[in-house]
Structures are given as C-alpha cells and as structure tokens.
Amino acid sequence: MDDLEDVLSARQDENMRPTEDGNLTKYKQLIGDYFTSRLRIKVDGELIPIDYLGSEIENDQLVLYIEIPVK
C-alpha cells in the first residue's frame, strides 16, 4: 500500500493516503486510471482491455476488482 500511495501522491502532486480511513471511494477514478494504464492482459497475443470495477483494502492489501470481456 505504501508504494501505491507514493505513486498516487506523485501523480497528483499532493499527499494521498487512501489507507488512512480505509475508504477508497474518493480515489476510485485515480486508482482505476493507474491500473488500467499499467495492467496489460494478452490472450493469444491480442491485448484485451480491462474494466476496473473497484477496489478495497483487506488486511493491508489492495484487492482489485476487474472485469475482462470474453470474446
């Protein structure tokens, strides 16, 4: 989580600490933008777009909920 907070803070030029209250709602768009720009899924050599649905903090870990469309 510390690394994610550092990345989010650097991208927004402000101190972002989503773990302070455990509520990621106000950071949903920022977290989604970051992971959809960095996470790549390939199937049979074809890049598949992901849909970020949300995330939550569980036992000091970030749990991502994503959807990958099946063709």
Side-chain angles (χ1 to χ4, degrees):
M1 285 304 303
D2 292 337
D3 291 339
L4 178 63
E5 289 176 342
D6 291 344
V7 166
L8 295 179
S9 294
R11 286 178 167 237
Q12 294 298 307
D13 292 328
E14 65 180 83
N15 191 15
M16 313 215 34
R17 299 287 174 227
T19 56
E20 282 181 355
D21 63 1
N23 184 354
L24 298 174
T25 303
K26 65 182 178 180
Y27 300 106
K28 181 179 180 180
Q29 185 67 43
L30 186 59
I31 292 170
D33 290 346
Y34 175 72
F35 280 104
T36 55
S37 72
R38 305 300 267 168
L39 183 62
R40 301 283 188 242
I41 306 290
K42 280 188 176 182
V43 176
D44 295 329
E46 181 182 343
L47 190 62
I48 306 295
I50 63 169
D51 294 324
Y52 171 76
L53 305 176
S55 54
E56 65 182 349
I57 298 171
E58 193 173 285
N59 299 324
D60 292 328
Q61 296 178 355
L62 182 68
V63 178
L64 295 177
Y65 298 99
I66 60 173
E67 188 173 73
I68 302 168
V70 178
K71 293 182 179 185

